[in-house]
Amino acid sequence: MARVTLKETTKRFGDVVAVNSLSLEVKDKEFLVLLGPSGCGKTTVLRCIAGLETPEEGEIYIGDRLVNDLDPKDRNVAMVFQSYALYPHMTVFSNLAFPLENAKVSVEDIKSRVQEVARLLKIEALLNRKPKQLSGGQQQRVALGRAIVREPQVFLMDEPLSNLDAKLRIYMRAELKKLQKELGVTTIYVTHDQVEAMTMGDRVVILNEGVLQQTGSPDDIYFHPSNVFVAGFIGNPPTNFFDCNLIEGVPYTLDTGEFRYPLPEDLAKAAKQCTSGVCVLGVKPQDVLVYKDAAGKKGLIKAQLEVIEPLGEKQILDLKVGDYSVKAVVDPDFKAEMGDELWIKIPVNKAYLFDKKTGKALK
Ligand SMILES: Nc1ncnc2c1ncn2[C@@H]1O[C@H](COP(=O)(O)OP(=O)(O)OP(=O)(O)O)[C@@H](O)[C@H]1O
Ligand SMILES: [Mg+2]
């Protein structure tokens, strides 16, 4: 199997910098997820690795081999697309056999290899059918099978589950992760779905506008976002933000314009690193505490309840704090009415601080 290394890779389409000086190392056998909003360059990264696009700058290695000038067919990677791109006139067997026939594998070996892959993907009973006689999930397995059958060094998967319905997607998520571990093939998996990224990836790479934002374990990305973009992208609902001026004194205090937020020593130390004098205070909706009355409690902020979204196991409250919109997640038994005046608290051990100018997390 193989490592995949990108060194300062840049790919432009006219004026658009689709991938901007991206450096990345995918470890052998790793399941790496590329996550980011639409148009951030995910597909382009995969296509550069596959050899379907030629980057203007940078180097791409598969294992120790520089592949920049290597034909796609010589790179020993297999790509699975969002549209399964099966051959409609061929049976499942022929679809699976096709890459091997191209590679001049003997008829006997093709038979046994296709059988083996079909067994692995539980599609043995479907080998004589044509793609249109299969469900979406079954087609998706065949597409995976076609990638697996050649025993490539690297799998490149571009949103392979996005055409499936929600239930099947959750099922296939786990199946695919299990399969990847069984096969031990280095995999780069593209998605714009953060739940998919967090549940499947050994590591997650977040891209925005072609620029790498953060690389880390799913927990790292979730609990230690390295900048405002990542904090605002991850989590459902995403992190609440407040722009604040830093007021020196004892204690150091943030002034959001709507409320003041005194900082404990560690946060004050972080806030002092801010280059612009303007900080961004962040708190996840799950961490916002909500109270109906303020009696006997300190550090509360007055809020108006605008919308309640009941979701069964939890409720999302849409609150207004002056001009700020704040989301909070509360238990289903929290009873309140739209228009109610409530109180919120941002626990200091759950607060995030960023530099407004650079967007970077302050630590
Ligand atoms: N062949 C092309 N010609 C011109 N521009 C392109 C081409 N392919 C991609 N782009 C542009 O490059 C940028 C990155 O595109 P890319 O397809 O890699 O995004 P993506 O992250 O895969 O998005 P999505 O989640 O929507 O699939 C976009 O601005 C896109 O419009
Ligand atoms: Mg794409």
Side-chain angles (χ1 to χ4, degrees):
M1 301 309 147
R3 266 180 304 143
V4 177
T5 312
L6 273 70
K7 289 189 179 162
E8 295 175 8
T9 299
T10 295
K11 174 68 200 169
R12 298 186 189 87
F13 296 106
D15 291 341
V16 177
V17 188
V19 180
N20 195 343
S21 195
L22 179 68
S23 294
L24 197 62
E25 181 157 337
V26 191
K27 299 186 193 103
D28 184 26
K29 298 189 173 52
E30 187 173 29
F31 196 124
L32 184 101
V33 178
L34 281 184
L35 172 67
S38 186
C40 73
K42 304 179 296 292
T43 296
T44 307
V45 172
L46 287 196
R47 290 176 59 83
C48 286
I49 298 169
L52 303 172
E53 301 287 355
T54 309
E56 284 80 24
E57 288 158 39
E59 293 168 353
I60 300 176
Y61 294 85
I62 297 176
D64 295 325
R65 200 161 57 141
L66 181 67
V67 298
N68 284 48
D69 296 325
L70 218 55
D71 259 15
K73 66 174 172 37
D74 299 326
R75 295 192 182 197
N76 205 5
V77 302
M79 193 149 164
V80 182
F81 300 91
Q82 178 181 351
S83 63
Y84 312 127
L86 298 175
Y87 303 113
H89 57 289
M90 292 186 191
T91 61
V92 169
F93 183 94
S94 306
N95 265 282
L96 293 175
F98 189 75
L100 298 176
E101 284 163 2
N102 269 358
K104 308 266 183 293
V105 177
S106 74
V107 176
E108 278 309 296
D109 287 349
I110 290 180
K111 257 192 197 154
S112 66
R113 188 81 193 116
V114 168
Q115 286 294 346
E116 190 187 329
V117 168
R119 197 165 47 244
L120 198 64
L121 290 167
K122 304 190 182 70
I123 51 174
E124 297 131 294
L126 309 175
L127 286 172
N128 292 323
R129 292 201 204 168
K130 299 263 176 74
K132 69 171 185 310
Q133 299 167 313
L134 304 175
S135 72
Q138 290 167 337
Q139 289 184 37
Q140 205 269 344
R141 278 161 195 265
V142 179
L144 276 176
R146 209 174 41 178
I148 292 169
V149 80
R150 274 199 302 133
E151 302 181 326
Q153 282 191 299
V154 179
F155 287 140
L156 304 173
M157 301 195 179
D158 195 356
E159 315 222 14
L161 305 185
S162 59
N163 280 343
L164 305 180
D165 66 40
K167 200 170 159 197
L168 193 54
R169 206 159 57 222
I170 293 170
Y171 174 74
M172 282 307 293
R173 214 156 73 189
E175 288 287 294
L176 196 54
K177 188 171 168 175
K178 205 164 74 187
L179 186 68
Q180 194 270 343
K181 289 295 165 232
E182 267 170 45
L183 297 171
V185 177
T186 311
T187 300
I188 307 175
Y189 184 102
V190 157
T191 181
H192 63 263
D193 178 338
Q194 52 166 302
V195 177
E196 217 168 275
M198 307 290 273
T199 52
M200 295 178 86
D202 297 324
R203 267 194 316 154
V204 179
V205 169
I206 301 200
L207 283 183
N208 187 34
E209 296 182 348
V211 178
L212 187 144
Q213 304 291 314
Q214 187 169 1
T215 307
S217 67
D219 269 5
D220 255 352
I221 302 268
Y222 185 82
F223 290 108
H224 308 289
S226 63
N227 61 33
V228 167
F229 175 82
V230 175
F233 187 69
I234 294 292
N236 187 20
T239 300
N240 298 297
F241 296 117
F242 306 88
D243 286 351
C244 337
N245 289 312
L246 180 63
I247 305 167
E248 290 185 26
V250 187
Y252 268 66
T253 301
L254 295 177
D255 182 3
T256 65
E258 298 297 341
F259 60 92
R260 290 194 167 197
Y261 192 71
L263 297 175
E265 214 166 296
D266 55 334
L267 282 183
K269 205 169 138 203
K272 284 181 216 167
Q273 313 288 318
C274 185
T275 56
S276 58
V278 184
C279 297
V280 180
L281 171 66
V283 62
K284 291 183 188 292
Q286 291 77 2
D287 295 331
V288 175
L289 302 176
V290 185
Y291 302 102
K292 287 192 181 175
D293 69 85
K297 300 177 192 85
K298 276 192 182 163
L300 298 191
I301 302 156
K302 197 186 273 186
Q304 183 113 26
L305 180 56
E306 292 220 303
V307 179
I308 308 173
E309 298 173 56
L311 291 173
E313 89 274 23
K314 63 184 180 190
Q315 309 182 75
I316 298 172
L317 306 185
D318 260 316
L319 301 146
K320 270 272 178 226
V321 174
D323 288 337
Y324 292 106
S325 292
V326 178
K327 286 190 192 283
V329 175
V330 294
D331 286 340
D333 57 3
F334 186 93
K335 298 274 182 284
E337 305 269 325
M338 288 198 241
D340 278 2
E341 197 157 86
L342 300 173
W343 298 88
I344 65 168
K345 181 168 177 160
I346 302 171
V348 285
N349 61 340
K350 303 287 187 183
Y352 292 90
L353 274 184
F354 304 93
D355 187 324
K356 173 78 179 169
K357 194 166 152 204
T358 62
K360 288 205 174 111
L362 297 164
K363 282 183 194 120

